[in-house]
Amino acid sequence: MKMKEREWARKIAERLDKEIQDCRAEPEKDLIYASEILNHDGDEPLYNEPATYTTDILIYKKLEGKKWKPRVVIETKLGNEKGSGITTHDAITYSQKSSSHKNVYPYLRYGIFIGNRKHHPLPGRLFRHGANFDFMLSWEGYHPKGKEWQILVDILHKEIKASEKLEEMIFESRKRQRKKYFALHRPLITKLIAE
């Protein structure tokens, strides 16, 4: 049965929302990518309305009242009848979207998730043009098989922790009592289709 991308993303978000502790997962949530200063009133900047992109799935931390903080964006794509579905244009566009969001939220983590890839691996064009992705994942079908669901959930838990750590490092770097890191290493972790 063929599924539409929005419907697929919504179903994934609903399931993630039940599974990811301390965070919410919501499909089609707007997230600011730019807020331009029009001019100044003395020393105070006067801003234009912020510009937003709609994310396919947003994982965010619910705070007190109506406040929330974005942690992870998941852009979704579906393979076509041949399993393909990601073009070079898609890879470049989504990677640029990631960069734009990270300029506003420097602690944000960003990934691309492709469903219905059949037997095909992640496309090489994502490796070449997806420099701003923190993770990439594909499923053979619309629904997880074998370890696919658990791998998605594990990745998201790690990305939420990475977002929290980045936020701490960026925004507490000038505090006297901050944690004083002397190294940062971002490893490359892969999973083979046969695993």
Side-chain angles (χ1 to χ4, degrees):
M1 175 182 95
K2 190 173 181 176
M3 191 178 291
K4 293 188 178 191
E5 193 173 303
R6 281 180 150 177
E7 176 188 358
W8 182 68
R10 184 181 46 76
K11 288 179 186 244
I12 297 294
E14 286 172 0
R15 188 168 172 190
L16 286 172
D17 194 49
K18 294 174 188 167
E19 185 131 0
I20 296 179
Q21 299 172 344
D22 299 327
C23 284
R24 301 292 316 268
E26 192 172 320
E28 299 182 40
K29 191 160 180 70
D30 288 343
L31 196 59
I32 295 169
Y33 72 86
S35 181
E36 291 117 5
I37 298 172
L38 296 175
N39 52 44
H40 288 80
D41 183 2
D43 290 337
E44 293 297 315
L46 300 176
Y47 296 93
N48 194 6
E49 285 293 316
T52 63
Y53 286 132
T54 301
T55 60
D56 291 339
I57 300 173
L58 179 65
I59 309 292
Y60 63 94
K61 176 83 174 172
K62 186 103 170 73
L63 305 171
E64 58 194 55
K66 293 182 178 182
K67 296 178 183 175
W68 56 274
K69 183 176 294 201
R71 289 290 176 203
V72 182
V73 171
I74 307 169
E75 294 296 350
T76 60
K77 287 296 284 180
L78 287 175
N80 57 29
E81 60 281 345
K82 295 178 184 173
S84 187
I86 278 281
T87 65
T88 299
H89 181 266
D90 292 332
I92 292 168
T93 300
Y94 283 126
S95 186
Q96 180 56 46
K97 192 174 173 184
S98 171
S99 177
S100 297
H101 276 136
K102 287 179 177 186
N103 282 331
V104 177
Y105 309 96
Y107 53 84
L108 186 67
R109 305 297 283 179
Y110 221 97
I112 189 159
F113 178 28
I114 313 164
N116 197 37
R117 284 284 292 161
K118 312 286 191 251
H119 63 280
H120 301 287
L122 284 168
R125 62 186 63 92
L126 279 180
F127 306 139
R128 181 175 297 277
H129 302 293
N132 295 306
F133 293 130
D134 298 301
F135 64 96
M136 300 173 189
L137 181 71
S138 71
W139 281 358
E140 186 177 323
Y142 295 111
H143 305 286
K145 293 181 181 163
K147 298 178 185 177
E148 288 178 335
W149 180 258
Q150 193 56 52
I151 289 170
L152 170 63
V153 171
D154 289 348
I155 286 171
L156 292 176
H157 281 294
K158 289 174 184 170
E159 292 300 328
I160 291 166
K161 293 285 183 209
S163 171
E164 293 168 347
K165 178 64 74 180
L166 282 170
E167 179 184 17
E168 172 205 318
M169 292 166 63
I170 293 166
F171 295 111
E172 295 188 13
S173 65
R174 295 178 187 242
K175 291 184 178 179
R176 189 186 240 350
Q177 302 295 19
R178 73 185 182 273
K179 292 179 183 173
K180 297 174 181 170
Y181 299 98
F182 74 96
L184 172 67
H185 177 216
R186 296 179 183 190
L188 177 64
I189 300 167
T190 59
K191 299 277 183 193
L192 294 173
I193 288 177
E195 288 183 38

